Amino acid sequence: MPLLQTFKNEVRIPENNDWVVFILIGCLFLYIFMMNVIEREANLKDFLLQKYYDSSNNLPSWMITSLVIALSLSVLISQYVPIIPKYVADFQPFGYQLNKIGYTLIIISLFYFIRTALGFLFYQAIGDGKKWSIFYFTSTKFHFILSVLLIILCVTHYYFPIDRNSAFIYYIYFFSFVFIFKVFFYLFHRNNILPQKWYYKFLYICTLQIAPLLMLWKLLFI
């Protein structure tokens, strides 16, 4: 009688990251459309160095850049989200349930939308509404560069052999540096995009930069 043998399946099923490719290609096409149509075939140098009073179509460029930021950031950090809250998981319209990438994208999109709305109200409330358009024009340049870095990080994260668990702590360092750099970028930019009075600047940084990030962290990781 033949001895029973235990066979171990050595076939490795590769991780399917096609969805990452589709999202990143979509982001690149959005930027190609923005540079060639909205910015009228501007090159990268002209786009980043253009002055506010020489620019046009600032609002569409800002919206596209914000969308790319939300998509690329969601792709990068969605797998680190521990769970989807039960009240979200139980909400299943048409029988579909949100996965982690969908939940992360919705939270980040709401984060940017609410912070933008509060920022607009903040500038209107202090009587400096005319500076709001200069603010989001300047912010677009910063977030454009950040989104390119996020796309590079996404490609590295999903298609290169890195330890993703160990990489998380480096992402925290990276985003901490980006946040500190952004605060100084806003404070000392030549366009003077923050209010002139120091207590308004302090109020803006605390209520519209630090507080929303703490809430975003709580919604995604706690």
Side-chain angles (χ1 to χ4, degrees):
M1 184 175 181
L3 296 176
L4 294 177
Q5 297 182 359
T6 301
F7 295 94
K8 184 178 180 181
N9 186 3
E10 298 290 347
V11 177
R12 178 178 178 272
I13 300 176
E15 183 178 3
N16 185 357
N17 292 324
D18 291 344
W19 62 278
V20 178
V21 175
F22 295 146
I23 292 176
L24 296 184
I25 290 177
C27 292
L28 293 177
F29 272 113
L30 284 173
Y31 274 157
I32 291 173
F33 172 79
M34 183 182 77
M35 299 298 288
N36 284 277
V37 178
I38 297 177
E39 296 294 335
R40 301 174 183 177
E41 299 184 356
N43 57 45
L44 183 59
K45 180 180 178 181
D46 292 339
F47 172 71
L48 294 176
L49 298 180
Q50 68 182 167
K51 297 180 180 180
Y52 172 74
Y53 296 104
D54 297 330
S55 63
S56 60
N57 299 324
N58 296 327
L59 182 60
S61 297
W62 171 65
M63 294 175 64
I64 289 176
T65 303
S66 299
L67 177 59
V68 173
I69 279 281
L71 286 170
S72 56
L73 184 58
S74 299
V75 169
L76 184 64
I77 68 174
S78 59
Q79 66 174 335
Y80 294 111
V81 175
I83 59 171
I84 298 176
K86 188 176 185 301
Y87 64 89
V88 176
D90 291 342
F91 180 68
Q92 302 179 15
F94 306 105
Y96 292 98
Q97 184 180 18
L98 278 177
N99 56 14
K100 288 185 178 181
I101 178 65
Y103 172 71
T104 307
L105 179 60
I106 289 175
I107 294 299
I108 291 177
S109 299
L110 287 174
F111 162 76
Y112 276 107
F113 177 78
I114 294 173
R115 192 174 68 173
T116 299
L118 292 177
F120 174 78
L121 293 176
F122 173 79
Y123 275 88
Q124 297 297 323
I126 64 175
D128 210 358
K130 293 182 179 179
K131 190 174 286 188
W132 169 248
S133 58
I134 303 177
F135 174 85
Y136 74 71
F137 164 80
T138 307
S139 175
T140 298
K141 313 305 178 184
F142 176 87
H143 286 96
F144 176 86
I145 296 175
L146 176 60
S147 66
V148 172
L149 294 177
L150 287 175
I151 291 173
I152 294 173
L153 283 177
C154 288
V155 172
T156 303
H157 183 88
Y158 286 97
Y159 296 101
F160 285 85
I162 64 172
D163 185 348
R164 297 180 182 177
N165 293 326
S166 300
F168 184 68
I169 189 65
Y170 294 103
Y171 293 151
I172 294 178
Y173 292 148
F174 170 76
F175 287 113
S176 299
F177 172 79
V178 168
F179 173 77
I180 295 172
F181 179 83
K182 181 173 70 171
V183 170
F184 283 99
F185 179 82
Y186 286 175
L187 282 173
F188 300 108
H189 197 276
R190 63 183 180 182
N191 287 343
N192 296 319
I193 58 177
L194 293 185
Q196 294 294 331
K197 297 180 179 180
W198 67 269
Y199 49 86
Y200 283 145
K201 293 180 181 179
F202 182 78
L203 181 64
Y204 174 84
I205 293 171
C206 290
T207 58
L208 294 177
Q209 292 295 327
I210 298 177
L213 283 178
L214 295 177
M215 182 59 66
L216 180 65
W217 179 271
K218 180 177 176 61
L219 289 173
L220 291 179
F221 301 111
I222 299 179

